[in-house]
Amino acid sequence: LAAFPVARTRPFFDAAEKVSPGSGGLYSVTIDPWKCTGCLECVEVCGPGALKSREQDAALLDTLQERFDFMSRTPKTPARFVENAIESGGEIKRLLLDRDNYYSTTGGHGACRGCGEVTAIRLVVAANRAITDKRRRKHTAELEKLIADLAAKRSSLGESEAERSRRIGEIIATLEKRLYLQEGGPTGNGPAGAIIANSTGCSSVYASTFPFNAYNDPWVNSLFQDAQPLAKGLFEGVAAQHVPDVRALRLARLELADACVPERYDQEFRYLSWPQFTKEELSLLPTVITIGGDGATYDIGFGAFSRILASGTPIKVVVLDTGAYSNTGGQASTASFTGQDSDLARIGSASSGKREARKELSLIAAFHPKVFVCATTTALQGHYLKNALEFLNYDDGAAVFDVYTPCQGEHGIADNVSARQARLAVESRLNPVFVHDPRRGQTLSETFSLDGNPEPDKTWAKGALEYRGESGEVKLLEVELTPADFALSEIRFRKQLKKLKDDAANLVPVPEYLDLPEAARAGRTPFVYSVEAGRLVRYGVSQSLVALCAERRANWQRLQCLAGLDVARMDAAHRAAIDALQAEIRESAERHDGSLDAIARAMSDLAASSKAPVAGFGGTIPLVPVASVSAPAAAPAAAAETANAAPVTIEDPTKCTNCKTCYQDIPELFEKTRIVVGGESREAARLIPGVLENVTVTPELTARIKRVSANCDAEIIR
């Protein structure tokens, strides 16, 4: 360790030592120089000062190789740092500290430098390995106990129960074979945790440059359009092979309970198939995963994709959405955005880019029966990993994981900005994240969640631009982020924007322009701000880009409606109006005003005019008696304390190191912002303004807050 860099950190040393002295661990990050492509996205993602870019000379290469070789010979991370990662309330990203999970895909991936798809695949496969390995260990212990108990039961039988002894012997033989396969089998590796059907496309090409493959699980590449039907066939075959083992497991439990009636159960189990499996029995199957791009799922494979979703088969569909046919030249797909410059949708004298609106595959999938859907991105690591576990554990039907994955070549972006662009796509409402989980309830507002999106109750989220004032001081300009702001950062949209002169007149910011009626737009130019050489500049936005912003706004408002946020806003406005009238009643009562009846009538009219439910009022408007106004009952001290208690505070935001822990792990409470400290602008975390007024403090939220507080690098979260 003298020449190997390690660090004492709050999460792995201080927090562990506080709970149990002697249990802390040292942390290290090591670069694998044999596989590093030099995209430098790790420097961008890991936060200030964590990693640095260097030109790789011979001396540096030797150092990195020595360090990585040393690390590869160290023991695995102790289980205590990893074992609860995938449990409810666990810190999910710790699953990657287990080397077996991290290397569930291995070798050089072969993709373009900085490709957004690679991380998406690696995290899903690693999470699945963590889940299935835990299940395998639990099932192995269960098999050992069943076999031992059956052997004891068999030895206790008398000579008159020879037939039952024979049956138990057959069950034991089946379970012993299964135990052998679980413990290692002919390969010594045990059963695979996943079977992967990969559509032809980028993900199949970079994963399988013959004779190499990046997966440690069985993997097959089929045609461009039929990964889901192939997965259906694989699932049916594996499930059919699993039937004798399920039958043996059920019979074993019946025999141990002395409840096995052969005549009854022979008939019942004769036609046993996977639709009759319990959730526990389904979980013993390997996860059947399909992987494909937007061309394979949004377009040519859409019909087959939809049919398999409707079948109820519990396969997992990973969609890698680059918004173009990235593998064959960047042609536009139905996942492409309006105004995008792509092959088959060029911008020129006769065309203004892609004309049609984007197909919302995730929403279409969500309206299939009992289908789990998550639209997400790896840039929101907390949202991504948490919902990856939900996706992989869902077995009531098919599950879809639609991941926004930037493509450097086709989007016209730098190698290191995949995560930055994906986050901006969410913040600008270009590609919002959402989850549809049928298990959460019966109504759409119960099953749809917009957690992970900034300011989900607003039309547009806010961002900040850093620029220099006339005297050179750092200033911040708050702007509403729209798809036009996103478009300014990518080459595929740049022909839709034109830099404006400083004295240009009749300029209107895009959000305001969208709110203008058509007639009022004449002679006005929509624009977005940018910063160049420290100066604020403005770019005019084309009508194609205005159409994109309008279409994306409509899509976002549709999601808000599905998640019930429109009703929540109506309800909040209605409550505010009622509160105002209640206050007026109190004031009038105190003045002995004679207008109480008029105010009461106004409140009744308000209630009658609102379609929003008046939750908490029992459907009626409570009029406050004069006696209670003049002498209100004092609330108990404990209740008052609880009502005013904030579950969490940030003591000094200027000390924030932007480690990302809080707003990645608890996005419903924290958000990223930009602040000026000592004349310098930097990103930092903050509590979402006003969020604590409406938050419900649950034990689960309290546990997450405590964990985030313990892991805060700056030690400012309380």
Side-chain angles (χ1 to χ4, degrees), residues 249-267:
L249 287 166
R250 291 188 182 185
L251 289 171
R253 296 184 185 104
L254 289 168
E255 289 287 1
L256 290 173
D258 296 322
C260 186
V261 181
E263 297 77 13
R264 174 185 169 187
Y265 292 108
D266 285 351
Q267 183 66 27

